Amino acid sequence: MGMRDKKRNQKRVLARRTAAPRSGEGKDFLPLEDGSGKRTRKQLQQPEEPENTATVVYIGHIPHGFYEDQMKGFFKQFGDIKRLRIARNRKTGKSKHYGFIEFESPVAAKIVADEMNNYLLFEHTLRVSLVPPEKVHPKLWKGVRRGFVPIDRVAIERKMHNKDKSVEEHKKMVEGIVKRDEKRRKRIQAAGIDYECPALIGVIQPSAKKIKFDEN
């Protein structure tokens, strides 16, 4: 290649570098806004981030002993708490280790969800996340003001046991006792145990309408 060809190629390279970019090229180097203040096409195509309006926070893996009073005292440092609820067993009243907190401000709820997720508390890793308003159950806060009142099953059974029974109810109760006694005798006999079970005698008292059982 002669000197003329080399100079000619150099001129072509310089001409390409100084030439204006073609249509569709160099989009990454366009300014964000043009002189008129209008947004570029790239900005218009990007969806805007939705505004955070969630105020309810879900909290999972709640450790034992970290209940309503303790949770209020801990989470009120992030903002004012409107309502708080821990899921509990209706029979025993024990915690199910998850609950919900409603803050007055969506900003406080967002901070709690971001900062307290995967937080180690009493050897339990908390699971914290925002609950969108459309996913909050309408009965989530039902009865939260009066607090949790467990059902007293013992009192209910005691009342049923001590209530006055009619003659038909006494008869049905005696039949059940006799059936259970017969099954017990058969099990003892099948086990090869030489034992004579005492007989059951039922006496109805007309005044009190009660049955008394004596063993001979």
Side-chain angles (χ1 to χ4, degrees), residues 151-192:
I151 300 174
D152 193 350
R153 302 285 178 179
V154 176
I156 295 174
E157 294 294 334
R158 185 187 302 114
K159 185 177 179 179
M160 293 179 62
H161 178 77
N162 295 335
K163 72 175 184 178
D164 294 334
K165 297 180 177 61
S166 63
V167 177
E168 294 296 332
E169 290 175 341
H170 277 290
K171 184 179 179 181
K172 186 176 180 180
M173 182 181 66
V174 170
E175 291 177 353
I177 293 175
V178 172
K179 287 182 180 180
R180 290 193 295 271
D181 183 68
E182 290 178 355
K183 290 182 180 180
R184 181 181 61 179
R185 293 172 184 269
K186 291 180 180 180
R187 289 197 301 267
I188 293 175
Q189 186 178 3

Side-chain angles (χ1 to χ4, degrees), residues 17 71 154 173 198 205:
R17 291 180 179 177
M71 290 182 67
V154 176
M173 182 181 66
Q205 299 177 357

